[in-house]
Amino acid sequence: MTLPNFAYFEGKIVPYSEAKVGVMTHALNYGTAAFAGVRAYWNDQEEELFVFRPMDHFRRFLQSAQLLLMDVELTPENLTEITVELMQKENHREDVYIRPLVYKSDELVGVRLHDLSSEITIFSVPFGKYVSNDTGAHVTFSSWRRVDDNMIPARGKIAGAYVNTAFIKTDAIRAGFDEALVLNVDGHISEGSAENVFMLRDGVIYTPRITDNILEGITRRTIIELAREELGYEVVERSIDRTEIYLCDEFFMTGTAAQVTAVTMVDHRPIGNGEMGPVAAQLRELYMDAVRGKLEKYRHWNQPVYAKLAVS
Ligand code: PMP
């Protein structure tokens, strides 16, 4: 992967080569960090780069920091401004992935959350597809279980918890699948390795509740709104059984990286007729228009980088 030219590090934007931490850093040893994953999309017509829903990403980022007992003085507005400045400095003219990270920065030995300092860093890299087969993914149910809220809260994007994700993802890829679905300890589906999930059954869209050990996805929220407002679907948040997915009409996954990925096969069982369905196809199109700033009604989601426009 190409390295960034710059990074926000210890309060200022510096050359990427200067953004370094010592090996004793608490977060590196114990996973005591939280992160966000944001995308910015290049709009060729307007010659503009739009960061997608940065305020929502930074609100969740600060909540993750709060769970880890980190005192962050920056607001979502401050973090959005820093991100815009970093994008301008990088002079990106293509789709990029932005990674804000807040980490326990003390160099000391001792596992705990309290009485530690934290720092924030942000960097960005050009980024295309995350799931290559995103119109016809074949996924498997992982033999791993999702971390429970009383183990490491899934609603926080906590670095250490992503070791769970790494086990899930690697086993699925090595077994020849495109992605994995993960069950809660109670046996209901929580989400994909790094995606929320949606199922269409008898004309209704279902997605697991936020109390089912999911990350409260920004893309999930976006898709719920687009499905209700633009396509007129009823979207119900409730627990979903494994075998409901085997029998459903359409299944798709959503995430900043995965965008809207249609799943056409689960554990060698075709979903519906085994091809991407019309609901997933329509939502993919709406979502890609929204992120690039092509839907006037949702322009408040798009933070322009090169124009000095305010965003709500
Ligand atoms: N679940 C997990 C575990 C994730 O890592 C992600 C990616 N951030 C998502 C869901 C999707 O969240 P979002 O739409 O906010 O990117």
Side-chain angles (χ1 to χ4, degrees), residues 35-39 52 56-57 60 97 99 130 146 154 156-157 161-162 164-165 182 190-197 213-222 254-259 287:
F35 61 99
V38 188
R39 269 191 192 255
F52 190 62
D56 297 283
H57 279 284
R60 186 178 69 192
Y97 189 80
R99 164 55 47 75
Y130 178 69
R146 188 79 173 107
K157 221 169 149 47
Y162 277 74
N164 179 236
T165 305
V182 199
S190 67
E191 52 188 350
S193 78
E195 302 87 7
N196 294 113
V197 299
N213 294 314
I214 66 165
L215 182 77
E216 297 171 23
I218 312 297
T219 320
R220 173 183 183 274
R221 206 175 305 158
T222 304
T254 66
T256 298
Q259 305 176 124
Y287 183 75

Side-chain angles (χ1 to χ4, degrees), residues 3-7 14-20:
L3 293 179
N5 295 309
F6 298 97
V14 299
Y16 179 74
S17 57
E18 290 175 21
K20 294 249 188 322

Side-chain angles (χ1 to χ4, degrees), residues 194-227:
E195 302 87 7
N196 294 113
V197 299
F198 288 84
M199 156 182 100
L200 178 79
R201 268 195 97 184
D202 299 327
V204 177
I205 298 174
Y206 299 92
T207 192
R209 302 169 304 183
I210 59 168
T211 46
D212 281 335
N213 294 314
I214 66 165
L215 182 77
E216 297 171 23
I218 312 297
T219 320
R220 173 183 183 274
R221 206 175 305 158
T222 304
I223 288 302
I224 291 175
E225 189 166 344
L226 291 174

Side-chain angles (χ1 to χ4, degrees), residues 13-244:
I13 294 175
V14 299
Y16 179 74
S17 57
E18 290 175 21
K20 294 249 188 322
V21 297
V23 292
M24 267 183 82
T25 302
H26 201 272
L28 182 61
N29 286 262
Y30 303 118
T32 46
F35 61 99
V38 188
R39 269 191 192 255
Y41 290 86
W42 179 248
N43 181 318
D44 230 352
Q45 242 168 0
E46 296 185 42
E47 302 226 323
E48 180 57 282
L49 185 69
F50 290 112
V51 186
F52 190 62
R53 303 190 75 162
M55 293 289 287
D56 297 283
H57 279 284
F58 285 124
R59 272 186 215 111
R60 186 178 69 192
F61 179 68
L62 293 177
Q63 285 179 359
S64 300
Q66 190 183 344
L67 287 172
L68 294 180
L69 300 183
M70 292 164 164
D71 284 323
V72 180
E73 279 172 14
L74 299 175
T75 61
E77 287 83 358
N78 299 149
L79 290 161
T80 300
E81 278 164 27
I82 293 165
T83 302
V84 166
E85 201 185 320
L86 180 67
M87 298 296 96
Q88 289 171 348
K89 197 116 176 145
E90 288 280 12
N91 200 24
H92 291 303
R93 292 176 69 86
E94 61 189 313
D95 296 351
V96 297
Y97 189 80
I98 305 160
R99 164 55 47 75
L101 177 76
V102 56
Y103 59 98
K104 301 271 190 198
S105 52
D106 303 73
E107 295 177 84
L108 55 80
V109 172
V111 193
R112 61 174 194 266
L113 291 180
H114 64 282
D115 293 342
L116 292 168
S117 327
S118 56
E119 288 287 348
I120 290 181
T121 182
I122 308 177
F123 61 83
S124 60
V125 284
F127 203 65
K129 276 187 186 182
Y130 178 69
V131 179
S132 52
N133 193 10
D134 63 354
T135 54
H138 185 184
V139 306
T140 184
F141 277 99
S142 181
S143 59
W144 299 93
R145 294 294 171 110
R146 188 79 173 107
V147 283
D148 187 78
D149 195 47
N150 297 300
M151 299 170 182
I152 307 176
R155 70 167 44 74
K157 221 169 149 47
I158 296 171
Y162 277 74
V163 176
N164 179 236
T165 305
F167 277 116
I168 291 160
K169 178 88 181 196
T170 289
D171 283 3
I173 299 297
R174 283 184 164 182
F177 295 96
D178 298 308
E179 250 299 343
L181 303 175
V182 199
L183 300 176
N184 286 323
V185 173
D186 77 2
H188 291 108
I189 180 156
S190 67
E191 52 188 350
S193 78
E195 302 87 7
N196 294 113
V197 299
F198 288 84
M199 156 182 100
L200 178 79
R201 268 195 97 184
D202 299 327
V204 177
I205 298 174
Y206 299 92
T207 192
R209 302 169 304 183
I210 59 168
T211 46
D212 281 335
N213 294 314
I214 66 165
L215 182 77
E216 297 171 23
I218 312 297
T219 320
R220 173 183 183 274
R221 206 175 305 158
T222 304
I223 288 302
I224 291 175
E225 189 166 344
L226 291 174
R228 284 180 180 152
E229 298 299 317
E230 303 305 311
L231 302 181
Y233 276 94
E234 184 187 351
V235 183
V236 178
E237 297 175 59
R238 69 148 169 86
S239 292
I240 297 178
D241 281 340
R242 173 184 190 145
T243 52
E244 280 188 285

